[in-house]
Amino acid sequence: MATGQEKWTEVLEMIRPRVTPDTYATWFEHIIFLGIEDGKVLLQVPNNFFYEYLAEHFGKMLLAEVNKVFGVNDIDIKVSEEDSKISNGRPGANGETTAKSIFTTHLSQEYTFDNFVKGDANKLARSIALTIATKPIQTAFNPFFLYGPSGVGKSHLVNAIGLKILENHPDKRVLYVSAHDFLIQYTDSVPKNKFNDFMYFYQSIDCLIVDDIHEISGKQKTQEVLFNIFNHLQRNGRQIIFTSDKAPSNLQGFEERVSSRFVMGATAELQRPDEQLRRNILRAKIRKNQLTIPRDVVDYIALNVTDNVRDLEGVINSLLVQSIVNDSEITLPMAERIVSRLVKLRTKHITPELVVNTTCKYYKVTHKELNSASRKATIVRARQAAMYLMQKHTNLSTTQIGLHIGRRDHTTVLHACRQVDVKIKTQPGYKEEIQAIEQEMTK
């Protein structure tokens, strides 16, 4: 007569051909058979999320196969004692509380409410953000979906929420993650058999901030994972925050059940700064850098640089560099030259071909080399710069950019753009390389 364990193995063998290998390895290999008691098959799973997902997606199938093999109509699924201790925040074997283990928040200490300049364009968004930060959790503001064009301060504002929550509640687990990094973490976890660890980590977060959610457009599996994390966090009273370059109603490539979650709480738009706000932002930047800039220069910049905060900061930084290089005071003619270059970039039609040709010329590489698989440092540098500039100055999607440069996939393009962003901030002289290519494109 077959033992209980042998019968459980039979159940698994009946399920195996009905699901994909990855699904089987993730959701069934980790179930432990404990025995039969009071007409119930007793099973154990690693954590609460595992239990919730298994019950929702495979509960009926599992019960049907158990009924066929064991002849019982009930399953009792327990969560491991170790996970229960962690979930409840009770001390583990070493006497330390493991629920609030130290981890990297990925928040920028620079982006606070104190240096977020207030104005009519951001009044509503800032008010909601401050309420969330000081009075978590407000059901009406969960989730918080913040949208607006690039460079208007979305990342700054959501970072400020995270920092303020930690200031008031140091024991909270607050995590800032870009949607792209979330995608990479998920896709890496599956082949490494770390998916359960990935899910357990995210279900432990008290405030989850996902930046640039539009970057997982069309990524069905990633959206499904995020959907389940969202449900778990919301059921447990955790704060969720999203940013996007588009309003929820304008997002493409999202399943309805996912996009519907975006509008369950509060939605706010960060608009382009008006002239008065631009002037205030410039003054704040000038004070921070202890600069002396004439009033007519500030007025000129505020009047002519209208797109976003990032451009305003870029002009101030360029003025500072020019002043140091030339050992001269900042003047209106100097500002006019810098702003004119920026305006040219904004008004000239930049094509993918122009970006590629200019970048290849600057780095002295051929089109064939740029499109090749070569990992030579100069070629990689040129390739990443071209992808970054194409993303910045054209309306192409990352998938379309990849097709223009060696038929690469969109994740390669996203990685390249982030690498360029990092180098601009950390490598002396690299920002000037990118600016030199941009200037050449405007001639």
Side-chain angles (χ1 to χ4, degrees):
M1 183 176 178
T3 65
Q5 184 62 55
E6 289 171 339
K7 289 183 177 181
W8 172 246
T9 301
E10 185 180 345
V11 169
L12 292 178
E13 289 307 312
M14 293 174 71
I15 290 174
R16 186 192 294 270
R18 298 178 59 184
V19 297
T20 66
D22 283 346
T23 297
Y24 181 83
T26 300
W27 299 108
F28 293 97
E29 287 186 354
H30 297 282
I31 302 174
I32 298 173
F33 174 74
L34 299 178
I36 304 175
E37 185 177 291
D38 298 330
K40 298 179 182 178
V41 171
L42 306 182
L43 304 175
Q44 181 176 291
V45 296
N47 55 57
N48 286 321
F49 175 80
F50 195 110
Y51 167 78
E52 292 169 0
Y53 192 95
L54 186 72
E56 180 180 352
H57 292 84
F58 305 112
K60 290 182 179 179
M61 179 175 65
L62 184 60
L63 182 59
E65 299 306 329
V66 164
N67 177 257
K68 290 178 186 176
V69 177
F70 286 91
V72 300
N73 293 310
D74 205 354
I75 300 174
D76 187 358
I77 302 177
K78 301 180 182 298
V79 176
S80 70
E81 291 184 7
E82 179 182 354
D83 184 71
S84 297
K85 289 178 181 179
I86 294 175
S87 299
N88 293 327
R90 295 198 298 268
N94 60 1
E96 296 178 355
T97 299
T98 54
K100 303 299 177 185
S101 57
I102 297 173
F103 73 108
T104 303
T105 67
H106 298 294
L107 292 169
S108 170
Q109 299 300 315
E110 178 184 356
Y111 295 147
T112 66
F113 280 110
D114 289 340
N115 58 30
F116 185 85
V117 182
K118 294 181 287 186
D120 289 340
N122 59 42
K123 185 177 181 180
L124 174 63
R126 185 183 182 279
S127 176
I128 294 173
L130 194 56
T131 300
I132 292 171
T134 53
K135 299 178 181 178
I137 189 149
Q138 299 286 324
T139 305
F141 299 149
N142 193 28
F144 177 36
F145 192 100
L146 180 65
Y147 70 95
S150 176
V152 295
K154 299 186 299 294
S155 296
H156 186 147
L157 193 55
V158 296
N159 262 269
I161 295 173
L163 291 176
K164 179 61 72 172
I165 289 175
L166 286 177
E167 180 184 325
N168 295 331
H169 308 278
D171 62 325
K172 295 289 186 184
R173 288 168 68 88
V174 179
L175 178 69
Y176 168 94
V177 62
S178 70
H180 171 67
D181 286 345
F182 180 88
L183 166 67
I184 296 300
Q185 290 169 15
Y186 160 61
T187 53
D188 282 351
S189 73
V190 175
K192 294 177 181 178
N193 204 24
K194 297 288 187 181
F195 180 70
N196 287 328
D197 293 338
F198 166 84
M199 296 304 300
Y200 178 63
F201 170 75
Y202 273 96
Q203 75 169 358
S204 72
I205 303 302
D206 293 306
C207 175
L208 175 62
I209 303 168
V210 185
D211 205 3
D212 294 331
I213 194 65
H214 53 272
E215 290 191 358
I216 61 169
S217 170
K219 300 301 175 183
Q220 186 174 352
K221 290 185 177 179
T222 305
Q223 289 177 26
E224 181 179 355
V225 169
L226 181 63
F227 174 80
N228 285 287
I229 290 171
F230 179 103
N231 287 343
H232 178 90
L233 294 181
Q234 191 174 58
R235 278 197 301 267
N236 288 277
R238 317 283 179 78
Q239 181 68 52
I240 308 155
I241 299 169
F242 298 110
T243 76
S244 173
D245 61 357
K246 298 179 180 67
S249 59
N250 294 329
L251 283 175
Q252 302 294 321
F254 282 83
E255 293 184 24
E256 184 179 352
R257 64 172 183 162
V258 177
S259 58
S260 66
R261 293 299 191 275
F262 295 153
V263 294
M264 288 176 64
T267 302
E269 179 183 9
L270 269 185
Q271 301 172 350
R272 298 187 189 280
D274 57 31
E275 186 179 342
Q276 184 57 52
L277 179 55
R278 295 196 297 271
R279 189 175 283 107
N280 291 343
I281 290 169
L282 288 168
R283 289 169 179 161
K285 184 74 173 176
I286 290 166
R287 286 195 300 271
K288 179 182 177 182
N289 289 279
Q290 298 181 332
L291 301 175
T292 301
I293 298 182
R295 182 174 178 175
D296 61 338
V297 173
V298 174
D299 290 342
Y300 176 81
I301 297 170
L303 185 63
N304 291 278
V305 181
T306 60
D307 270 5
N308 58 58
V309 177
R310 198 171 293 144
D311 285 348
L312 293 172
E313 293 179 341
V315 170
I316 293 297
N317 290 337
S318 297
L319 285 172
L320 176 59
V321 170
Q322 287 294 313
S323 175
I324 293 172
V325 170
N326 299 327
D327 191 22
S328 62
E329 294 183 353
I330 293 173
T331 63
L332 182 58
M334 186 188 296
E336 289 173 341
R337 288 194 299 272
I338 291 171
V339 171
S340 68
R341 289 201 296 266
L342 177 67
V343 171
K344 282 182 181 179
L345 279 172
R346 289 288 178 265
T347 57
K348 184 173 180 178
H349 180 56
I350 305 295
T351 65
E353 292 72 25
L354 177 61
V355 173
V356 169
N357 291 339
T358 310
T359 305
C360 286
K361 179 181 177 182
Y362 182 87
Y363 287 105
K364 297 182 173 59
V365 302
T366 65
H367 287 200
K368 184 176 180 180
E369 288 173 326
L370 191 77
N371 293 329
S372 72
S374 172
R375 302 302 299 169
K376 186 177 177 182
T378 302
I379 296 174
V380 171
R381 199 173 184 90
R383 189 182 298 133
Q384 291 182 341
M387 291 177 177
Y388 171 84
L389 290 167
M390 212 174 286
Q391 184 192 53
K392 182 177 178 181
H393 295 294
T394 74
N395 292 322
L396 296 181
S397 68
T398 51
T399 299
Q400 292 170 322
I401 293 171
L403 292 175
H404 277 280
I405 303 179
R407 304 189 69 81
R408 286 168 168 82
D409 63 33
H410 82 288
T411 57
T412 302
V413 177
L414 288 171
H415 175 73
C417 293
R418 292 195 180 280
Q419 287 292 102
V420 172
D421 276 329
V422 170
K423 290 176 184 176
I424 287 174
K425 295 174 183 175
T426 60
Q427 291 188 8
Y430 187 77
K431 182 177 181 180
E432 286 68 30
E433 283 185 27
I434 298 298
Q435 288 177 336
I437 299 171
E438 289 178 320
Q439 290 174 19
E440 186 65 27
M441 288 192 301
T442 64
K443 289 183 178 179

